[in-house]
Amino acid sequence: MDLNTVVEIRDARRPAPWRPGDAWLGGGTYLFSEPQPHLRRLVDLSRTGWTPVRRQPDGSLEIAATCTIAQLSRFAQALPAEAAPLFEQCCRAFLASFKIWNMATVGGNLCNALPAGPMTSLTSALDGTCLLIAQDGARRRVKVADFVTGAGRKVLAEGELLRSVTLPARALGCRTAFRQASLYGLGRSGVLVIGALDPVDGSLAVTVTAATVRPVRLWFPLPPTAGALRSALGSAVADGEWFDDIHGLPEWRRHMTFRYAEEIRRELGGATR
């Protein structure tokens, strides 16, 4: 879609004062999908030259905001880590064409802050941390689980940039379990639950997205009992935080979340209680 209110595209490598009507341009798959009448200028990140994905000396993984879904998928196929299959599972949760895969970015998916954003699911489940850069160059780090605060809402300040997401080495070594539900065969995720079992200390993290307006990540020092897991989920998600749209009623999303969380508990914890 043409954005007929945009009068300028600026190269992000050439700093200039941020002004009302500006927006960061990554892959553009969302920006160009519907009218954006409030926009006047796009700040293009495509020529920044950021390495899409790289392994850090400490074993962590840094994913640039401009990394496309296709690039992340290819990288993960050769990633020697226990959690590697989760990357492809979340990439496939896009249910998008190859054209979208080659343009849509990890950063864009996070910054849209949609409940069904699968990059939010992946990075919050693996305890990711966002690097944010303000217009004055100040940097701050925020956990992905805290970055998205509601449907379409995030903690970004005016003009602030999501530079990258870092996944810790320990999380990459976790054994994972993935559950997804949709009302349609090839529909948007209505429920997405991910479990991650830490082989070092036996702790279990259960992360809920798509069903809730924000990511909900629960951490247990040891795999919980069925009752403890159900109680923790009930306490962590308020009644008004179950998402409600044409892709699923809150009651259905809640029911499926509890069902999938219990399946994951049994799969990863080997528990029967």
Side-chain angles (χ1 to χ4, degrees):
M1 171 176 289
D2 291 336
L3 300 181
N4 55 21
T5 61
V6 173
V7 296
E8 181 184 353
I9 297 180
R10 180 171 67 80
D11 190 331
R13 296 173 300 178
R14 299 169 184 166
W18 191 264
R19 62 195 191 196
D22 282 359
W24 299 108
L25 171 62
T29 55
Y30 166 72
L31 279 180
F32 291 100
S33 69
E34 59 184 48
Q36 310 286 348
H38 61 290
L39 296 185
R40 299 295 180 268
R41 182 172 67 168
L42 302 179
V43 184
D44 185 10
L45 297 167
S46 65
R47 298 186 181 92
T48 53
W50 297 336
T51 301
V53 195
R54 62 181 174 183
R55 202 76 184 259
Q56 303 284 56
D58 63 358
S60 63
L61 203 65
E62 183 187 54
I63 306 171
T66 50
C67 175
T68 67
I69 307 309
Q71 289 170 329
L72 183 63
S73 172
R74 287 194 296 269
F75 181 90
Q77 289 170 16
L79 180 64
E82 185 71 25
L86 182 63
F87 287 74
E88 188 68 12
Q89 289 170 321
C90 289
C91 287
R92 294 290 170 186
F94 265 102
L95 301 174
S97 71
F98 72 93
K99 293 181 286 186
I100 298 296
W101 267 47
N102 281 283
M103 292 301 296
T105 62
V106 173
N109 193 245
L110 281 165
C111 290
N112 277 340
L114 299 177
M119 294 298 98
T120 302
S121 308
L122 170 68
T123 54
S124 57
L126 294 181
D127 199 25
T129 301
C130 300
L131 172 60
L132 309 180
I133 304 177
Q135 285 294 300
D136 63 2
R139 297 184 172 215
R140 63 182 177 124
R141 295 185 183 273
V142 178
K143 289 287 189 182
V144 174
D146 299 321
F147 177 76
V148 176
T149 60
R153 301 201 310 269
K154 57 272 184 186
V155 299
L156 281 175
E158 183 70 17
E160 198 169 26
L161 171 67
L162 170 60
R163 169 61 180 84
S164 62
V165 179
T166 299
L167 307 179
R170 188 158 172 173
L172 296 174
C174 289
R175 185 160 65 94
T176 62
F178 176 94
R179 296 291 190 280
Q180 178 193 23
S182 172
L183 291 178
Y184 318 99
L186 292 175
R188 178 181 294 180
S189 297
V191 181
L192 205 158
V193 185
I194 297 171
L197 182 69
D198 190 325
V200 177
D201 61 9
S203 62
L204 176 67
V206 177
T207 304
V208 180
T209 53
T212 50
V213 297
R214 59 177 177 83
V216 175
R217 189 175 190 271
L218 303 176
W219 182 84
F220 303 91
L222 290 172
T225 63
L229 174 60
R230 190 172 186 86
S231 176
L233 278 171
S235 299
V237 186
D239 289 342
E241 290 185 317
W242 296 103
F243 195 44
D244 184 6
D245 71 354
I246 61 171
H247 298 285
L249 292 173
E251 294 81 5
W252 173 76
R253 294 178 194 262
R254 184 180 187 279
H255 170 75
M256 293 302 295
T257 295
F258 278 73
R259 172 180 168 179
Y260 283 161
E262 173 59 16
E263 288 182 7
I264 285 172
R265 182 190 77 90
R266 290 173 177 268
E267 177 180 334
L268 295 180
T272 58
R273 292 181 294 142

